[in-house]
Amino acid sequence: MAAFGVVPCQIYTNLRSTSLISFKYGVKSEKQEYYGSILRNGQRFFRNRLNIYFGGEGQEIRSKSLHRNCSGAERLVNGVASDLDDPSLEAKQHLKYENEHNGFNNTFNVFGSNTLDDEAWSLLRASMVYYCGNPIGTIAANDPSDSNTLNYDQVFIRDFVPSGIAFLLKGEYEIVRNFILHTLQLQSWEKTMDCHSPGQGLMPASFKVRTVPLDGDDSATEEVLDPDFGEAAIGRVAPVDSGLWWIILLRAYGKCSGDLSVQERIDVQTGIKMILKLCLADGFDMFPTLLVTDGSCMIDRRMGIHGHPLEIQSLFYSALLCAREMLAPEEASADLIRALNNRLVALSIHIREYYWIDMNKLNEIYRYKTEEYSFDAVNKFNIYPDQIPPWLVEWMPNKGGYLIGNLQPAHMDFRFFSLGNLWAIICNLATTDQSHAILDLIESKWSDLVAGMPLKICYPALEGQEWRIITGSDPKNTPWSYHNGGSWPTLLWQLTVACIKMNRPEIAEKAIKIAEKRIAKDKWPEYYDTKGARFIGKQAHLYQTWSIAGYLVAKLLIANPSAANILVNIQDAELLNVFSSALSANPRGKRLRKGPKQSFII
Ligand code: GLC
């Protein structure tokens, strides 16, 4: 019955998409080819597709499937057709993959490895996924002894970022280029959940390379990319962060390799614009922050982060800045670039001012008047001082501060979220003073945030009734486990970039030393449990690729700090002007905060 319900929906969706294109471009006869969508046993697959350009601003680029094995992939990446019909290609690919896989097992079981870095590199290479003979990504976890892989055998967009950076820093650009171009092809995929489609421009959370029988020839097979936009993910969460990470990685690729031809391609420019249009679309929002549902980022299940979570805002700001650098200056994009600039200014004012918390600000909130009705309200969001949690009164150091996890009407989520804070430093969303204060806080709360393994995903954990209500009694997110205060080694690379940017690499070096004591011995777990990160996570996957890649990136950057520039955003003078004039032009902007210092001004 379930399949019966799903199939007509898929057919409907494809027909609808096709007719949309037929209407727009007057093309009628290539229905199946446009989306290259095939429905087999209720599953949709993505075939290799070749772009056809219609040109002109606002016109969407669509793809045409090539009904030949791997040909689209070759053309997409190299711009030329290659040997399309080599029947032994797939066998070769598998052999290549198997060899590398076995090589890694042999290396470790028989010979052992020389250093931690060598071991990490072998493991990272063993996690590489090939599509049509070319490296295209890395799987999330690669533990041969684990029979319960769930979707950890897929290439996750967010998980690939540290892998991609590690390869870039090593001068191996091909895999990153392939990843960028192939995931771009997945972006325009028509995806549905119970007949509903999210906006075009959404990037998948993950994808898998599948081998399927070739159409009309049962004796042959072909490889297809099978994306998951959240429609199969636990909780059906929307991967809002994927497109943002994609833009960030695209810029890093260009900066590191010097190859700007990828970001200059028309399809890539269109991909950037589609992500931006989705994020900048008008809605009901009163705030410049991006409104999302729970679980839309690294924390991809219910943890009470719906609304305007910091992690998404930091990645959003970063992606806007990166896109601004890469978008071709053309007349047709003027409106989009204007909207982008306005959003950057509004977002930075909002986050720097209203998300920031330190001893002074906490004391200010403690003395807030409530129920203020006026443009001049000090307590704009009507925060009741009783919301200040007792743990924070003790925990907030005299020196230091951080950006809170979320802000909504009458609600501040005071939890400390590591990724959002670190990325706010990296992309310059936090001011210089705030950035130093965040690192001061990490140093002064070392035993809470770093403890036995860097770094806690958030602090503190939700416990008791709060855990029951907020997580829905999630047994994986019990206190100090997984997303609920667990420790994630992958965060080491973001910590390192942030420390290098602020010229305080010694903090990251200290954290790396702690990780090195046990991460390899513990088989590179996904996360650790307990307040002090003493146990390997209850359900943590071993040989988790982004734990391995995160460590490698941290080491590579410590050895060559200037390479962190491929990820960092610095204060843009032009933007600073827009920012200052926006403040002076808006009389309400001057009343943002009463107090001795306007902390949002750099
Ligand atoms: C878990 C994590 C998510 C990650 C995925 C694959 O679902 O919460 O952030 O992308 O595993 O590693």
Side-chain angles (χ1 to χ4, degrees), residues 438-490:
I438 294 168
L439 294 183
D440 289 343
L441 178 122
I442 291 176
E443 278 197 299
S444 90
K445 296 292 157 187
W446 194 259
S447 59
D448 290 327
L449 300 176
V450 178
M453 179 57 69
L455 188 69
K456 282 256 162 40
I457 194 164
C458 66
Y459 184 92
L462 300 167
E463 304 196 58
Q465 188 65 355
E466 213 181 5
W467 164 77
R468 256 183 292 280
I469 294 169
I470 293 178
T471 71
S473 299
D474 183 348
K476 198 165 174 184
N477 272 330
T478 50
W480 308 109
S481 180
Y482 198 45
H483 298 140
N484 188 13
S487 298
W488 292 66
T490 188

Side-chain angles (χ1 to χ4, degrees), residues 15 65 132 138 175 195 222 250 299 321 365 463 529 593:
L15 284 178
S65 88
C132 302
T138 50
I175 186 171
C195 299
E222 65 176 338
L250 173 64
I299 296 180
L321 282 177
I365 298 172
E463 304 196 58
D529 284 358
R593 186 176 173 186

Side-chain angles (χ1 to χ4, degrees), residues 139-141 151-152 154 156-159 205 234 241 297-301 311 457 476 482-483 488 526 541 544-546:
I139 54 172
N151 53 352
Y152 283 71
Q154 305 208 4
F156 277 74
I157 308 299
R158 73 175 72 86
D159 292 42
I234 297 166
D241 63 339
C297 51
M298 176 188 184
I299 296 180
D300 57 358
R301 56 208 282 170
E311 176 176 333
I457 194 164
K476 198 165 174 184
Y482 198 45
H483 298 140
W488 292 66
E526 181 186 12
H541 288 260
Q544 178 81 15
T545 305
W546 69 354

